[in-house]
Amino acid sequence: MALKFDFTGKVIAVTGGASGIGLATVKLLASAGARLSIADVQQTLLDNVVAEIKVQGGEALGFNVDVSDAGQVNSWIAQTKQQLGPLDGAANIAAIIGTGINKTRVEDLEDGDWARVLAVNLTGVMHCMRAELQNVRHGGSIVNVTSVAGSMGIAKNSAYSAAKHGVVGLSRSAAKEVGDRGIRVNCVAP
Ligand SMILES: NC(=O)c1ccc[n+]([C@@H]2O[C@H](COP(=O)([O-])OP(=O)(O)OC[C@H]3O[C@@H](n4cnc5c(N)ncnc54)[C@H](O)[C@@H]3O)[C@@H](O)[C@H]2O)c1
């Protein structure tokens, strides 16, 4: 069954849009008429998707942004607002799995791997939500990508799982704060 929805003229910010689920999301949004601001750390892939969307008649800006850096995130959203106007929505998709996934137990966790997974997958989502919620229109929508690991424990997956559980809590809290502005906050858990 074909998906039918209309995003004509809607300004949507997307993180992790250069590959995987994020890439599929930006292509789908572009085909539905959205005006996109895409943030990712993979410059070549980012350039490719922006070019592809433009060739097909869509509108997209690409920004090299590490979501773990609050300054980069704030600058991205400020430039997005300046160039496209206030946000109608955002999809926070960027994440990493970390080097310890599927092999490291909690008792053997490495500080660096733990810190980087939490910095990108949880603090990064907070940085994005904070900037987005300051710049989203009444009636807007924020979608955060979590995981089945965000609602159940998975052995040797603790940093990723803890971060994804955190995204669920962050999203639930934010949803209760902004509902009265007509803004929805939801999670998708692939
Ligand atoms: N693919 C799955 O089976 C699966 C399952 C559960 C959850 N998820 C979640 O879905 C989302 C997308 O996953 P995917 O499989 O498409 O992954 P992916 O690795 O293909 O895409 C992630 C994107 O995020 C970008 N990224 C990584 N670190 C970044 C950073 N610091 N700042 C900005 N961008 C950064 C990467 O460059 C990449 O383009 C993630 O949140 C992931 O945790 C995926």
Side-chain angles (χ1 to χ4, degrees):
M1 188 176 73
L3 286 173
K4 271 192 174 178
F5 54 94
D6 184 7
F7 275 74
T8 304
K10 302 281 188 194
V11 176
I12 311 290
V14 181
T15 71
S19 78
I21 293 171
L23 177 61
T25 301
V26 295
K27 286 184 176 179
L28 192 61
L29 286 166
S31 71
R35 304 168 68 215
L36 292 161
S37 178
I38 307 168
D40 205 290
V41 288
Q42 297 193 72
Q43 187 67 55
T44 304
L45 296 180
L46 189 55
D47 291 344
N48 291 347
V49 65
V50 168
E52 185 180 333
I53 288 170
K54 286 181 177 170
V55 162
Q56 290 174 358
E59 187 172 355
L61 302 172
F63 294 87
N64 194 321
V65 175
D66 179 342
V67 297
S68 71
D69 183 318
Q72 290 185 30
V73 170
N74 292 342
S75 172
W76 164 50
I77 295 298
Q79 289 180 72
T80 298
K81 189 177 181 184
Q82 194 175 36
Q83 296 181 50
L84 300 179
L87 304 182
D88 294 291
N92 297 312
I93 303 173
I96 57 172
I97 54 173
T99 56
I101 200 153
N102 295 333
K103 56 183 183 194
T104 305
R105 295 167 182 268
V106 171
E107 65 220 57
D108 299 319
L109 277 172
E110 291 172 11
D111 290 346
D113 189 41
W114 170 268
R116 186 63 188 156
V117 171
L118 270 288
V120 174
N121 295 7
L122 178 55
T123 308
V125 175
M126 181 278 284
H127 290 155
C128 293
M129 287 183 69
R130 182 171 61 190
E132 291 156 2
L133 288 169
Q134 290 172 5
N135 292 283
V136 68
R137 292 181 200 276
H138 184 98
S141 171
I142 310 284
V143 177
N144 297 320
V145 176
T146 173
S147 165
V148 290
S151 56
M152 59 186 280
I154 299 180
K156 300 179 184 174
N157 205 320
S158 55
Y160 183 87
S161 182
K164 292 298 190 181
H165 274 74
V167 170
V168 173
L170 183 64
S171 305
R172 284 180 166 149
S173 297
K176 295 202 168 171
E177 293 166 359
V178 299
D180 61 356
R181 288 160 56 196
I183 298 167
R184 289 164 291 128
V185 180
N186 286 287
C187 287
V188 172

